Amino acid sequence: MPVLPTAIHAMPKEVIDSLRPLFRPLRHFAALACVSAALAACSPSYDWRTLHNDAGYTIDLPAKPTVEEQPVALGGTSMPMRMQAAHVDGAVFAVGTLTLPDDRDDTRRTALEFLRAGLSRNLEGAPQTASVPVPLAAGGAVNGLELRIAGAAAGGDRARKTIVARLAARGRHAYQAVVIADGPLAQEQLDQFFGSFKLD
């Protein structure tokens, strides 16, 4: 899916700046999701479609996603992170895939902690965490972590935001399925998004 890198410069600077605190490790991807929504002039309706990704997951997204990749630094090592994000009705629904250098358990744990800490820094609220199973397409599940935060955005305009995320790792990938919204989301939408999240 083509990305329009030059379009980001056409967006007002304050719009892009307001997105940066919400997704600090992946700020570029959040901005691109907002840009895509503005260009498409999409209506605030949920048009769910199932995405089968070659990075090893399946998920439902509520709009046509943007796709972007950029490196992130983890423990002094640069690793590629790929993001697919859909913007609808004041919320960003996104899935990030971090490609790890190996499939060791300690590497996966470090990657998950990196993702958890990055999300937790975005809002000035106490994160609520819980263990959740993330199903496998072939049956069974892997252990995952659910993270919920609500509070003022750290920095920027300090607007109140909500983040709900599920983190999991399998093989040489760590995954982050996340919703960032201006306010509480209907449980129906959260169930659709997270309930469809499966790993290969």
Side-chain angles (χ1 to χ4, degrees):
M1 185 177 304
V3 179
L4 304 176
T6 57
I8 198 166
H9 300 296
M11 292 293 291
K13 182 178 183 296
E14 58 271 19
V15 173
I16 298 172
D17 289 344
S18 70
L19 289 167
R20 287 193 172 105
L22 301 181
F23 213 12
R24 199 174 306 274
L26 302 169
R27 61 189 66 166
H28 183 54
F29 301 128
L32 282 173
C34 182
V35 170
S36 176
L39 291 174
C42 60
S43 63
S45 60
Y46 293 84
D47 181 17
W48 293 99
R49 75 278 313 279
T50 301
L51 177 71
H52 301 277
N53 192 276
D54 57 9
Y57 67 84
T58 300
I59 200 165
D60 291 351
L61 290 176
K64 186 176 181 179
T66 58
V67 182
E68 180 65 6
E69 183 171 319
Q70 72 175 29
V72 297
L74 176 57
T77 301
S78 179
M79 303 177 191
M81 182 131 194
R82 190 167 189 254
M83 177 62 60
Q84 302 214 25
H87 189 281
V88 60
D89 202 15
V92 177
F93 293 74
V95 185
T97 308
L98 186 60
T99 302
L100 308 177
D102 57 62
D103 61 358
R104 295 185 302 167
D105 288 342
D106 58 344
T107 301
R108 289 194 289 260
R109 282 193 295 269
T110 299
L112 291 176
E113 175 56 24
F114 169 80
L115 295 174
R116 185 205 63 77
L119 286 172
S120 298
R121 286 194 298 268
N122 291 316
L123 299 183
E124 294 180 354
Q128 297 179 344
T129 59
S131 296
V132 293
V134 176
L136 301 176
V142 297
N143 293 328
L145 178 71
E146 182 173 274
L147 179 73
R148 291 175 179 259
I149 319 171
D157 62 4
R158 298 180 56 78
R160 186 170 179 83
K161 302 288 180 178
T162 298
I163 294 177
V164 183
R166 287 194 181 176
L167 311 177
R170 178 171 170 81
R172 290 186 57 186
H173 292 103
Y175 303 94
Q176 174 178 265
V178 60
V179 182
I180 304 172
D182 293 336
L185 280 166
Q187 191 61 44
E188 176 186 0
Q189 311 304 339
L190 294 175
D191 289 345
Q192 176 78 31
F193 181 64
F194 292 112
S196 68
F197 183 40
K198 295 182 180 180
L199 304 182
D200 293 345

